[in-house]
PDB file of all heavy atoms in Angstrom:
ATOM      1  N   VAL A   1       0.835  -1.192   0.000  1.00 93.00           N
ATOM      2  CA  VAL A   1       0.000   0.000   0.000  1.00 93.00           C
ATOM      3  C   VAL A   1       0.875   1.249   0.000  1.00 93.00           C
ATOM      4  O   VAL A   1       2.006   1.243   0.514  1.00 93.00           O
ATOM      5  CB  VAL A   1      -0.955   0.020   1.220  1.00 93.00           C
ATOM      6  CG1 VAL A   1      -1.925  -1.136   1.173  1.00 93.00           C
ATOM      7  CG2 VAL A   1      -0.172   0.024   2.519  1.00 93.00           C
ATOM      8  N   ASP A   2       0.359   2.311  -0.568  1.00 93.00           N
ATOM      9  CA  ASP A   2       1.041   3.610  -0.518  1.00 93.00           C
ATOM     10  C   ASP A   2       0.531   4.358   0.704  1.00 93.00           C
ATOM     11  O   ASP A   2      -0.674   4.637   0.814  1.00 93.00           O
ATOM     12  CB  ASP A   2       0.757   4.404  -1.788  1.00 93.00           C
ATOM     13  CG  ASP A   2       1.416   3.791  -3.009  1.00 93.00           C
ATOM     14  OD1 ASP A   2       2.605   4.037  -3.228  1.00 93.00           O
ATOM     15  OD2 ASP A   2       0.725   3.038  -3.738  1.00 93.00           O
ATOM     16  N   ILE A   3       1.414   4.664   1.605  1.00 94.00           N
ATOM     17  CA  ILE A   3       1.030   5.289   2.865  1.00 94.00           C
ATOM     18  C   ILE A   3       1.918   6.485   3.137  1.00 94.00           C
ATOM     19  O   ILE A   3       3.118   6.477   2.804  1.00 94.00           O
ATOM     20  CB  ILE A   3       1.108   4.260   4.021  1.00 94.00           C
ATOM     21  CG1 ILE A   3       0.699   4.893   5.349  1.00 94.00           C
ATOM     22  CG2 ILE A   3       2.497   3.651   4.111  1.00 94.00           C
ATOM     23  CD1 ILE A   3       0.560   3.893   6.479  1.00 94.00           C
ATOM     24  N   PHE A   4       1.316   7.503   3.720  1.00 93.00           N
ATOM     25  CA  PHE A   4       2.082   8.698   4.066  1.00 93.00           C
ATOM     26  C   PHE A   4       1.473   9.320   5.324  1.00 93.00           C
ATOM     27  O   PHE A   4       0.252   9.332   5.506  1.00 93.00           O
ATOM     28  CB  PHE A   4       2.070   9.718   2.936  1.00 93.00           C
ATOM     29  CG  PHE A   4       3.120  10.782   3.073  1.00 93.00           C
ATOM     30  CD1 PHE A   4       4.415  10.559   2.641  1.00 93.00           C
ATOM     31  CD2 PHE A   4       2.820  12.006   3.664  1.00 93.00           C
ATOM     32  CE1 PHE A   4       5.397  11.523   2.785  1.00 93.00           C
ATOM     33  CE2 PHE A   4       3.786  12.981   3.818  1.00 93.00           C
ATOM     34  CZ  PHE A   4       5.086  12.742   3.377  1.00 93.00           C
ATOM     35  N   PHE A   5       2.341   9.840   6.188  1.00 94.00           N
ATOM     36  CA  PHE A   5       1.925  10.487   7.431  1.00 94.00           C
ATOM     37  C   PHE A   5       2.040  11.999   7.253  1.00 94.00           C
ATOM     38  O   PHE A   5       3.137  12.521   7.064  1.00 94.00           O
ATOM     39  CB  PHE A   5       2.785  10.010   8.601  1.00 94.00           C
ATOM     40  CG  PHE A   5       2.691   8.535   8.857  1.00 94.00           C
ATOM     41  CD1 PHE A   5       3.598   7.658   8.281  1.00 94.00           C
ATOM     42  CD2 PHE A   5       1.677   8.018   9.651  1.00 94.00           C
ATOM     43  CE1 PHE A   5       3.516   6.294   8.503  1.00 94.00           C
ATOM     44  CE2 PHE A   5       1.573   6.653   9.878  1.00 94.00           C
ATOM     45  CZ  PHE A   5       2.497   5.794   9.299  1.00 94.00           C
ATOM     46  N   ILE A   6       0.899  12.675   7.314  1.00 92.00           N
ATOM     47  CA  ILE A   6       0.839  14.126   7.100  1.00 92.00           C
ATOM     48  C   ILE A   6       0.964  14.832   8.447  1.00 92.00           C
ATOM     49  O   ILE A   6       0.082  14.721   9.299  1.00 92.00           O
ATOM     50  CB  ILE A   6      -0.477  14.533   6.417  1.00 92.00           C
ATOM     51  CG1 ILE A   6      -0.668  13.745   5.119  1.00 92.00           C
ATOM     52  CG2 ILE A   6      -0.505  16.023   6.147  1.00 92.00           C
ATOM     53  CD1 ILE A   6      -2.019  13.988   4.462  1.00 92.00           C
ATOM     54  N   ASP A   7       2.037  15.540   8.626  1.00 90.00           N
ATOM     55  CA  ASP A   7       2.276  16.290   9.870  1.00 90.00           C
ATOM     56  C   ASP A   7       1.707  17.689   9.701  1.00 90.00           C
ATOM     57  O   ASP A   7       2.151  18.463   8.851  1.00 90.00           O
ATOM     58  CB  ASP A   7       3.767  16.337  10.166  1.00 90.00           C
ATOM     59  CG  ASP A   7       4.063  16.899  11.544  1.00 90.00           C
ATOM     60  OD1 ASP A   7       3.112  17.352  12.217  1.00 90.00           O
ATOM     61  OD2 ASP A   7       5.236  16.875  11.957  1.00 90.00           O
ATOM     62  N   TRP A   8       0.711  18.037  10.530  1.00 89.00           N
ATOM     63  CA  TRP A   8       0.049  19.339  10.430  1.00 89.00           C
ATOM     64  C   TRP A   8       0.729  20.411  11.282  1.00 89.00           C
ATOM     65  O   TRP A   8       0.288  21.568  11.272  1.00 89.00           O
ATOM     66  CB  TRP A   8      -1.410  19.222  10.862  1.00 89.00           C
ATOM     67  CG  TRP A   8      -2.231  18.315  10.008  1.00 89.00           C
ATOM     68  CD1 TRP A   8      -2.594  17.037  10.288  1.00 89.00           C
ATOM     69  CD2 TRP A   8      -2.792  18.617   8.727  1.00 89.00           C
ATOM     70  NE1 TRP A   8      -3.348  16.521   9.256  1.00 89.00           N
ATOM     71  CE2 TRP A   8      -3.487  17.475   8.286  1.00 89.00           C
ATOM     72  CE3 TRP A   8      -2.772  19.747   7.900  1.00 89.00           C
ATOM     73  CZ2 TRP A   8      -4.168  17.412   7.078  1.00 89.00           C
ATOM     74  CZ3 TRP A   8      -3.445  19.697   6.694  1.00 89.00           C
ATOM     75  CH2 TRP A   8      -4.134  18.548   6.290  1.00 89.00           C
ATOM     76  N   GLU A   9       1.749  20.047  12.010  1.00 84.00           N
ATOM     77  CA  GLU A   9       2.406  21.006  12.904  1.00 84.00           C
ATOM     78  C   GLU A   9       3.063  22.125  12.104  1.00 84.00           C
ATOM     79  O   GLU A   9       3.724  21.874  11.086  1.00 84.00           O
ATOM     80  CB  GLU A   9       3.444  20.286  13.747  1.00 84.00           C
ATOM     81  CG  GLU A   9       3.898  21.061  14.967  1.00 84.00           C
ATOM     82  CD  GLU A   9       2.888  21.026  16.084  1.00 84.00           C
ATOM     83  OE1 GLU A   9       1.894  20.279  15.976  1.00 84.00           O
ATOM     84  OE2 GLU A   9       3.086  21.736  17.079  1.00 84.00           O
ATOM     85  N   ARG A  10       2.884  23.337  12.564  1.00 82.00           N
ATOM     86  CA  ARG A  10       3.499  24.490  11.917  1.00 82.00           C
ATOM     87  C   ARG A  10       4.787  24.870  12.632  1.00 82.00           C
ATOM     88  O   ARG A  10       4.915  24.677  13.845  1.00 82.00           O
ATOM     89  CB  ARG A  10       2.537  25.694  11.934  1.00 82.00           C
ATOM     90  CG  ARG A  10       1.227  25.445  11.219  1.00 82.00           C
ATOM     91  CD  ARG A  10       1.429  25.046   9.787  1.00 82.00           C
ATOM     92  NE  ARG A  10       0.179  24.831   9.083  1.00 82.00           N
ATOM     93  CZ  ARG A  10       0.076  24.273   7.886  1.00 82.00           C
ATOM     94  NH1 ARG A  10       1.171  23.847   7.275  1.00 82.00           N
ATOM     95  NH2 ARG A  10      -1.098  24.103   7.313  1.00 82.00           N
ATOM     96  N   PRO A  11       5.753  25.410  11.899  1.00 76.00           N
ATOM     97  CA  PRO A  11       7.014  25.819  12.541  1.00 76.00           C
ATOM     98  C   PRO A  11       6.773  26.871  13.612  1.00 76.00           C
ATOM     99  O   PRO A  11       5.902  27.743  13.476  1.00 76.00           O
ATOM    100  CB  PRO A  11       7.834  26.378  11.381  1.00 76.00           C
ATOM    101  CG  PRO A  11       7.217  25.799  10.145  1.00 76.00           C
ATOM    102  CD  PRO A  11       5.773  25.624  10.442  1.00 76.00           C
ATOM    103  N   GLN A  12       7.531  26.781  14.697  1.00 70.00           N
ATOM    104  CA  GLN A  12       7.415  27.753  15.771  1.00 70.00           C
ATOM    105  C   GLN A  12       8.082  29.073  15.415  1.00 70.00           C
ATOM    106  O   GLN A  12       7.767  30.100  15.987  1.00 70.00           O
ATOM    107  CB  GLN A  12       8.046  27.191  17.050  1.00 70.00           C
ATOM    108  CG  GLN A  12       7.354  25.934  17.581  1.00 70.00           C
ATOM    109  CD  GLN A  12       5.921  26.200  17.981  1.00 70.00           C
ATOM    110  OE1 GLN A  12       5.599  27.274  18.496  1.00 70.00           O
ATOM    111  NE2 GLN A  12       5.054  25.230  17.745  1.00 70.00           N
ATOM    112  N   VAL A  13       9.012  29.028  14.461  1.00 58.00           N
ATOM    113  CA  VAL A  13       9.672  30.251  14.006  1.00 58.00           C
ATOM    114  C   VAL A  13       9.326  30.454  12.551  1.00 58.00           C
ATOM    115  O   VAL A  13       9.016  29.514  11.828  1.00 58.00           O
ATOM    116  CB  VAL A  13      11.200  30.161  14.185  1.00 58.00           C
ATOM    117  CG1 VAL A  13      11.561  30.071  15.655  1.00 58.00           C
ATOM    118  CG2 VAL A  13      11.763  28.970  13.429  1.00 58.00           C
ATOM    119  N   HIS A  14       9.366  31.706  12.102  1.00 47.00           N
ATOM    120  CA  HIS A  14       9.067  32.007  10.718  1.00 47.00           C
ATOM    121  C   HIS A  14      10.198  31.548   9.825  1.00 47.00           C
ATOM    122  O   HIS A  14      11.360  31.866  10.056  1.00 47.00           O
ATOM    123  CB  HIS A  14       8.845  33.515  10.546  1.00 47.00           C
ATOM    124  CG  HIS A  14       7.642  34.009  11.277  1.00 47.00           C
ATOM    125  ND1 HIS A  14       6.365  33.722  10.888  1.00 47.00           N
ATOM    126  CD2 HIS A  14       7.545  34.771  12.398  1.00 47.00           C
ATOM    127  CE1 HIS A  14       5.509  34.294  11.718  1.00 47.00           C
ATOM    128  NE2 HIS A  14       6.206  34.939  12.655  1.00 47.00           N
ATOM    129  N   GLY A  15       9.841  30.754   8.831  1.00 44.00           N
ATOM    130  CA  GLY A  15      10.847  30.266   7.900  1.00 44.00           C
ATOM    131  C   GLY A  15      10.354  30.420   6.484  1.00 44.00           C
ATOM    132  O   GLY A  15       9.270  30.925   6.218  1.00 44.00           O
ATOM    133  N   LEU A  16      11.191  29.976   5.597  1.00 44.00           N
ATOM    134  CA  LEU A  16      10.842  30.049   4.190  1.00 44.00           C
ATOM    135  C   LEU A  16       9.890  28.922   3.865  1.00 44.00           C
ATOM    136  O   LEU A  16      10.183  27.767   4.135  1.00 44.00           O
ATOM    137  CB  LEU A  16      12.105  29.919   3.342  1.00 44.00           C
ATOM    138  CG  LEU A  16      12.003  30.377   1.881  1.00 44.00           C
ATOM    139  CD1 LEU A  16      11.664  31.842   1.812  1.00 44.00           C
ATOM    140  CD2 LEU A  16      13.302  30.056   1.153  1.00 44.00           C
ATOM    141  N   THR A  17       8.727  29.188   3.322  1.00 42.00           N
ATOM    142  CA  THR A  17       7.726  28.180   3.009  1.00 42.00           C
ATOM    143  C   THR A  17       7.422  28.206   1.542  1.00 42.00           C
ATOM    144  O   THR A  17       7.607  29.198   0.855  1.00 42.00           O
ATOM    145  CB  THR A  17       6.422  28.431   3.796  1.00 42.00           C
ATOM    146  OG1 THR A  17       5.944  29.731   3.492  1.00 42.00           O
ATOM    147  CG2 THR A  17       6.662  28.315   5.296  1.00 42.00           C
ATOM    148  N   THR A  18       6.927  27.096   1.065  1.00 42.00           N
ATOM    149  CA  THR A  18       6.565  26.994  -0.338  1.00 42.00           C
ATOM    150  C   THR A  18       5.147  27.466  -0.555  1.00 42.00           C
ATOM    151  O   THR A  18       4.361  27.593   0.372  1.00 42.00           O
ATOM    152  CB  THR A  18       6.684  25.544  -0.810  1.00 42.00           C
ATOM    153  OG1 THR A  18       5.753  24.770  -0.065  1.00 42.00           O
ATOM    154  CG2 THR A  18       8.079  24.990  -0.589  1.00 42.00           C
ATOM    155  N   LYS A  19       4.790  27.688  -1.798  1.00 42.00           N
ATOM    156  CA  LYS A  19       3.474  28.192  -2.118  1.00 42.00           C
ATOM    157  C   LYS A  19       2.375  27.155  -1.961  1.00 42.00           C
ATOM    158  O   LYS A  19       1.210  27.489  -2.017  1.00 42.00           O
ATOM    159  CB  LYS A  19       3.463  28.725  -3.558  1.00 42.00           C
ATOM    160  CG  LYS A  19       4.323  29.956  -3.749  1.00 42.00           C
ATOM    161  CD  LYS A  19       4.185  30.492  -5.161  1.00 42.00           C
ATOM    162  CE  LYS A  19       5.004  31.774  -5.350  1.00 42.00           C
ATOM    163  NZ  LYS A  19       4.857  32.311  -6.699  1.00 42.00           N
ATOM    164  N   LEU A  20       2.769  25.914  -1.761  1.00 41.00           N
ATOM    165  CA  LEU A  20       1.747  24.880  -1.598  1.00 41.00           C
ATOM    166  C   LEU A  20       1.055  24.972  -0.256  1.00 41.00           C
ATOM    167  O   LEU A  20       0.081  24.298  -0.025  1.00 41.00           O
ATOM    168  CB  LEU A  20       2.385  23.509  -1.751  1.00 41.00           C
ATOM    169  CG  LEU A  20       2.755  23.095  -3.160  1.00 41.00           C
ATOM    170  CD1 LEU A  20       3.447  21.747  -3.125  1.00 41.00           C
ATOM    171  CD2 LEU A  20       1.530  23.036  -4.048  1.00 41.00           C
ATOM    172  N   THR A  21       1.541  25.802   0.681  1.00 41.00           N
ATOM    173  CA  THR A  21       0.921  25.925   1.991  1.00 41.00           C
ATOM    174  C   THR A  21      -0.067  27.074   2.048  1.00 41.00           C
ATOM    175  O   THR A  21      -0.491  27.465   3.105  1.00 41.00           O
ATOM    176  CB  THR A  21       2.002  26.143   3.057  1.00 41.00           C
ATOM    177  OG1 THR A  21       2.743  27.329   2.739  1.00 41.00           O
ATOM    178  CG2 THR A  21       2.952  24.964   3.122  1.00 41.00           C
ATOM    179  N   SER A  22      -0.449  27.611   0.930  1.00 40.00           N
ATOM    180  CA  SER A  22      -1.361  28.747   0.932  1.00 40.00           C
ATOM    181  C   SER A  22      -2.729  28.335   1.418  1.00 40.00           C
ATOM    182  O   SER A  22      -3.141  27.202   1.271  1.00 40.00           O
ATOM    183  CB  SER A  22      -1.490  29.310  -0.492  1.00 40.00           C
ATOM    184  OG  SER A  22      -2.002  28.323  -1.346  1.00 40.00           O
ATOM    185  N   PRO A  23      -3.486  29.232   2.057  1.00 41.00           N
ATOM    186  CA  PRO A  23      -4.815  28.907   2.550  1.00 41.00           C
ATOM    187  C   PRO A  23      -5.798  28.741   1.414  1.00 41.00           C
ATOM    188  O   PRO A  23      -5.501  28.957   0.254  1.00 41.00           O
ATOM    189  CB  PRO A  23      -5.158  30.124   3.426  1.00 41.00           C
ATOM    190  CG  PRO A  23      -4.320  31.237   2.864  1.00 41.00           C
ATOM    191  CD  PRO A  23      -3.067  30.612   2.370  1.00 41.00           C
ATOM    192  N   LYS A  24      -7.032  28.354   1.810  1.00 43.00           N
ATOM    193  CA  LYS A  24      -8.053  28.106   0.811  1.00 43.00           C
ATOM    194  C   LYS A  24      -8.324  29.319  -0.054  1.00 43.00           C
ATOM    195  O   LYS A  24      -8.673  29.215  -1.220  1.00 43.00           O
ATOM    196  CB  LYS A  24      -9.352  27.687   1.497  1.00 43.00           C
ATOM    197  CG  LYS A  24      -9.265  26.385   2.239  1.00 43.00           C
ATOM    198  CD  LYS A  24     -10.614  26.079   2.842  1.00 43.00           C
ATOM    199  CE  LYS A  24     -10.544  24.879   3.746  1.00 43.00           C
ATOM    200  NZ  LYS A  24     -11.827  24.609   4.373  1.00 43.00           N
ATOM    201  N   SER A  25      -8.181  30.489   0.528  1.00 44.00           N
ATOM    202  CA  SER A  25      -8.515  31.702  -0.220  1.00 44.00           C
ATOM    203  C   SER A  25      -7.597  31.914  -1.405  1.00 44.00           C
ATOM    204  O   SER A  25      -7.914  32.660  -2.321  1.00 44.00           O
ATOM    205  CB  SER A  25      -8.426  32.915   0.719  1.00 44.00           C
ATOM    206  OG  SER A  25      -7.126  32.990   1.278  1.00 44.00           O
ATOM    207  N   ASN A  26      -6.439  31.245  -1.375  1.00 48.00           N
ATOM    208  CA  ASN A  26      -5.494  31.373  -2.485  1.00 48.00           C
ATOM    209  C   ASN A  26      -5.450  30.095  -3.299  1.00 48.00           C
ATOM    210  O   ASN A  26      -4.391  29.567  -3.604  1.00 48.00           O
ATOM    211  CB  ASN A  26      -4.092  31.690  -1.949  1.00 48.00           C
ATOM    212  CG  ASN A  26      -4.031  33.058  -1.312  1.00 48.00           C
ATOM    213  OD1 ASN A  26      -4.750  33.959  -1.727  1.00 48.00           O
ATOM    214  ND2 ASN A  26      -3.188  33.196  -0.306  1.00 48.00           N
ATOM    215  N   GLU A  27      -6.610  29.531  -3.639  1.00 53.00           N
ATOM    216  CA  GLU A  27      -6.670  28.300  -4.410  1.00 53.00           C
ATOM    217  C   GLU A  27      -6.017  28.499  -5.766  1.00 53.00           C
ATOM    218  O   GLU A  27      -6.059  29.571  -6.346  1.00 53.00           O
ATOM    219  CB  GLU A  27      -8.128  27.870  -4.594  1.00 53.00           C
ATOM    220  CG  GLU A  27      -8.796  27.437  -3.295  1.00 53.00           C
ATOM    221  CD  GLU A  27     -10.230  27.045  -3.543  1.00 53.00           C
ATOM    222  OE1 GLU A  27     -10.747  27.407  -4.626  1.00 53.00           O
ATOM    223  OE2 GLU A  27     -10.834  26.393  -2.684  1.00 53.00           O
ATOM    224  N   ARG A  28      -5.428  27.412  -6.274  1.00 56.00           N
ATOM    225  CA  ARG A  28      -4.779  27.502  -7.566  1.00 56.00           C
ATOM    226  C   ARG A  28      -5.180  26.310  -8.409  1.00 56.00           C
ATOM    227  O   ARG A  28      -5.692  25.324  -7.906  1.00 56.00           O
ATOM    228  CB  ARG A  28      -3.257  27.532  -7.394  1.00 56.00           C
ATOM    229  CG  ARG A  28      -2.709  26.216  -6.918  1.00 56.00           C
ATOM    230  CD  ARG A  28      -1.574  26.333  -5.978  1.00 56.00           C
ATOM    231  NE  ARG A  28      -1.814  27.280  -4.939  1.00 56.00           N
ATOM    232  CZ  ARG A  28      -0.835  27.996  -4.400  1.00 56.00           C
ATOM    233  NH1 ARG A  28       0.380  27.879  -4.849  1.00 56.00           N
ATOM    234  NH2 ARG A  28      -1.092  28.825  -3.436  1.00 56.00           N
ATOM    235  N   SER A  29      -4.877  26.390  -9.672  1.00 56.00           N
ATOM    236  CA  SER A  29      -5.235  25.318 -10.594  1.00 56.00           C
ATOM    237  C   SER A  29      -4.202  24.213 -10.534  1.00 56.00           C
ATOM    238  O   SER A  29      -3.129  24.363  -9.961  1.00 56.00           O
ATOM    239  CB  SER A  29      -5.310  25.864 -12.026  1.00 56.00           C
ATOM    240  OG  SER A  29      -4.031  26.294 -12.453  1.00 56.00           O
ATOM    241  N   THR A  30      -4.541  23.096 -11.185  1.00 55.00           N
ATOM    242  CA  THR A  30      -3.624  21.963 -11.208  1.00 55.00           C
ATOM    243  C   THR A  30      -2.352  22.307 -11.949  1.00 55.00           C
ATOM    244  O   THR A  30      -1.257  21.852 -11.597  1.00 55.00           O
ATOM    245  CB  THR A  30      -4.298  20.761 -11.879  1.00 55.00           C
ATOM    246  OG1 THR A  30      -5.561  20.532 -11.241  1.00 55.00           O
ATOM    247  CG2 THR A  30      -3.439  19.521 -11.771  1.00 55.00           C
ATOM    248  N   GLY A  31      -2.432  23.119 -12.986  1.00 57.00           N
ATOM    249  CA  GLY A  31      -1.238  23.522 -13.718  1.00 57.00           C
ATOM    250  C   GLY A  31      -0.286  24.297 -12.844  1.00 57.00           C
ATOM    251  O   GLY A  31       0.931  24.108 -12.892  1.00 57.00           O
ATOM    252  N   GLU A  32      -0.826  25.170 -12.000  1.00 56.00           N
ATOM    253  CA  GLU A  32       0.027  25.931 -11.097  1.00 56.00           C
ATOM    254  C   GLU A  32       0.653  25.008 -10.050  1.00 56.00           C
ATOM    255  O   GLU A  32       1.796  25.203  -9.630  1.00 56.00           O
ATOM    256  CB  GLU A  32      -0.789  27.024 -10.410  1.00 56.00           C
ATOM    257  CG  GLU A  32      -1.244  28.127 -11.378  1.00 56.00           C
ATOM    258  CD  GLU A  32      -2.200  29.092 -10.702  1.00 56.00           C
ATOM    259  OE1 GLU A  32      -3.103  28.611  -9.996  1.00 56.00           O
ATOM    260  OE2 GLU A  32      -2.041  30.303 -10.875  1.00 56.00           O
ATOM    261  N   VAL A  33      -0.107  23.993  -9.640  1.00 56.00           N
ATOM    262  CA  VAL A  33       0.431  23.034  -8.681  1.00 56.00           C
ATOM    263  C   VAL A  33       1.623  22.308  -9.286  1.00 56.00           C
ATOM    264  O   VAL A  33       2.677  22.167  -8.677  1.00 56.00           O
ATOM    265  CB  VAL A  33      -0.663  22.017  -8.274  1.00 56.00           C
ATOM    266  CG1 VAL A  33      -0.062  20.938  -7.396  1.00 56.00           C
ATOM    267  CG2 VAL A  33      -1.790  22.724  -7.554  1.00 56.00           C
ATOM    268  N   SER A  34       1.448  21.844 -10.528  1.00 57.00           N
ATOM    269  CA  SER A  34       2.537  21.128 -11.198  1.00 57.00           C
ATOM    270  C   SER A  34       3.761  22.014 -11.363  1.00 57.00           C
ATOM    271  O   SER A  34       4.898  21.574 -11.188  1.00 57.00           O
ATOM    272  CB  SER A  34       2.076  20.616 -12.561  1.00 57.00           C
ATOM    273  OG  SER A  34       0.980  19.757 -12.412  1.00 57.00           O
ATOM    274  N   ALA A  35       3.549  23.277 -11.698  1.00 52.00           N
ATOM    275  CA  ALA A  35       4.667  24.192 -11.856  1.00 52.00           C
ATOM    276  C   ALA A  35       5.405  24.380 -10.544  1.00 52.00           C
ATOM    277  O   ALA A  35       6.639  24.402 -10.497  1.00 52.00           O
ATOM    278  CB  ALA A  35       4.160  25.538 -12.387  1.00 52.00           C
ATOM    279  N   ALA A  36       4.637  24.520  -9.464  1.00 53.00           N
ATOM    280  CA  ALA A  36       5.277  24.684  -8.157  1.00 53.00           C
ATOM    281  C   ALA A  36       6.064  23.451  -7.767  1.00 53.00           C
ATOM    282  O   ALA A  36       7.161  23.529  -7.221  1.00 53.00           O
ATOM    283  CB  ALA A  36       4.216  24.996  -7.095  1.00 53.00           C
ATOM    284  N   LEU A  37       5.488  22.287  -8.060  1.00 55.00           N
ATOM    285  CA  LEU A  37       6.182  21.047  -7.718  1.00 55.00           C
ATOM    286  C   LEU A  37       7.442  20.876  -8.538  1.00 55.00           C
ATOM    287  O   LEU A  37       8.465  20.427  -8.040  1.00 55.00           O
ATOM    288  CB  LEU A  37       5.244  19.860  -7.939  1.00 55.00           C
ATOM    289  CG  LEU A  37       4.039  19.803  -6.999  1.00 55.00           C
ATOM    290  CD1 LEU A  37       3.140  18.648  -7.400  1.00 55.00           C
ATOM    291  CD2 LEU A  37       4.476  19.668  -5.561  1.00 55.00           C
ATOM    292  N   ASN A  38       7.391  21.226  -9.826  1.00 54.00           N
ATOM    293  CA  ASN A  38       8.573  21.110 -10.681  1.00 54.00           C
ATOM    294  C   ASN A  38       9.674  22.054 -10.238  1.00 54.00           C
ATOM    295  O   ASN A  38      10.856  21.741 -10.306  1.00 54.00           O
ATOM    296  CB  ASN A  38       8.194  21.378 -12.142  1.00 54.00           C
ATOM    297  CG  ASN A  38       7.361  20.256 -12.721  1.00 54.00           C
ATOM    298  OD1 ASN A  38       7.486  19.108 -12.311  1.00 54.00           O
ATOM    299  ND2 ASN A  38       6.497  20.577 -13.671  1.00 54.00           N
ATOM    300  N   THR A  39       9.265  23.264  -9.810  1.00 50.00           N
ATOM    301  CA  THR A  39      10.248  24.218  -9.309  1.00 50.00           C
ATOM    302  C   THR A  39      10.941  23.679  -8.074  1.00 50.00           C
ATOM    303  O   THR A  39      12.157  23.784  -7.909  1.00 50.00           O
ATOM    304  CB  THR A  39       9.570  25.562  -8.974  1.00 50.00           C
ATOM    305  OG1 THR A  39       8.937  26.048 -10.153  1.00 50.00           O
ATOM    306  CG2 THR A  39      10.582  26.565  -8.471  1.00 50.00           C
ATOM    307  N   LYS A  40      10.132  23.085  -7.205  1.00 50.00           N
ATOM    308  CA  LYS A  40      10.706  22.512  -5.999  1.00 50.00           C
ATOM    309  C   LYS A  40      11.588  21.320  -6.319  1.00 50.00           C
ATOM    310  O   LYS A  40      12.626  21.098  -5.681  1.00 50.00           O
ATOM    311  CB  LYS A  40       9.559  22.083  -5.063  1.00 50.00           C
ATOM    312  CG  LYS A  40      10.018  21.606  -3.689  1.00 50.00           C
ATOM    313  CD  LYS A  40      10.550  22.737  -2.866  1.00 50.00           C
ATOM    314  CE  LYS A  40      10.949  22.266  -1.486  1.00 50.00           C
ATOM    315  NZ  LYS A  40      11.526  23.328  -0.680  1.00 50.00           N
ATOM    316  N   LYS A  41      11.188  20.559  -7.309  1.00 50.00           N
ATOM    317  CA  LYS A  41      11.949  19.362  -7.678  1.00 50.00           C
ATOM    318  C   LYS A  41      13.354  19.718  -8.150  1.00 50.00           C
ATOM    319  O   LYS A  41      14.309  18.971  -7.941  1.00 50.00           O
ATOM    320  CB  LYS A  41      11.190  18.594  -8.751  1.00 50.00           C
ATOM    321  CG  LYS A  41      11.868  17.317  -9.188  1.00 50.00           C
ATOM    322  CD  LYS A  41      11.040  16.633 -10.256  1.00 50.00           C
ATOM    323  CE  LYS A  41      11.743  15.392 -10.763  1.00 50.00           C
ATOM    324  NZ  LYS A  41      10.968  14.730 -11.817  1.00 50.00           N
ATOM    325  N   ASP A  42      13.501  20.854  -8.798  1.00 49.00           N
ATOM    326  CA  ASP A  42      14.804  21.258  -9.304  1.00 49.00           C
ATOM    327  C   ASP A  42      15.801  21.507  -8.179  1.00 49.00           C
ATOM    328  O   ASP A  42      17.010  21.533  -8.403  1.00 49.00           O
ATOM    329  CB  ASP A  42      14.674  22.528 -10.158  1.00 49.00           C
ATOM    330  CG  ASP A  42      13.875  22.251 -11.434  1.00 49.00           C
ATOM    331  OD1 ASP A  42      13.824  21.069 -11.844  1.00 49.00           O
ATOM    332  OD2 ASP A  42      13.308  23.211 -11.987  1.00 49.00           O
TER     333      ASP A  42
END
């Protein structure tokens, strides 16, 4: 089975975060998701 543990804990200090952590109000399309993931992959 494919299993993953999602940790919802937020950092106690402000750090650099990716755009995938944006709230619901900043919803994006699947194309934007793929672009963000590819950028991170590099």
Side-chain angles (χ1 to χ4, degrees):
V1 297
D2 291 278
I3 180 172
F4 196 84
F5 299 93
I6 305 174
D7 189 354
W8 297 101
E9 197 77 8
R10 300 303 181 191
Q12 297 297 324
V13 295
H14 295 289
L16 197 61
T17 58
T18 63
K19 293 184 178 181
L20 286 177
T21 59
S22 61
K24 296 181 187 178
S25 58
N26 293 329
E27 292 179 344
R28 69 216 47 212
S29 65
T30 308
E32 292 172 316
V33 174
S34 301
L37 293 175
N38 289 331
T39 302
K40 187 70 178 177
K41 181 180 177 181
D42 294 337

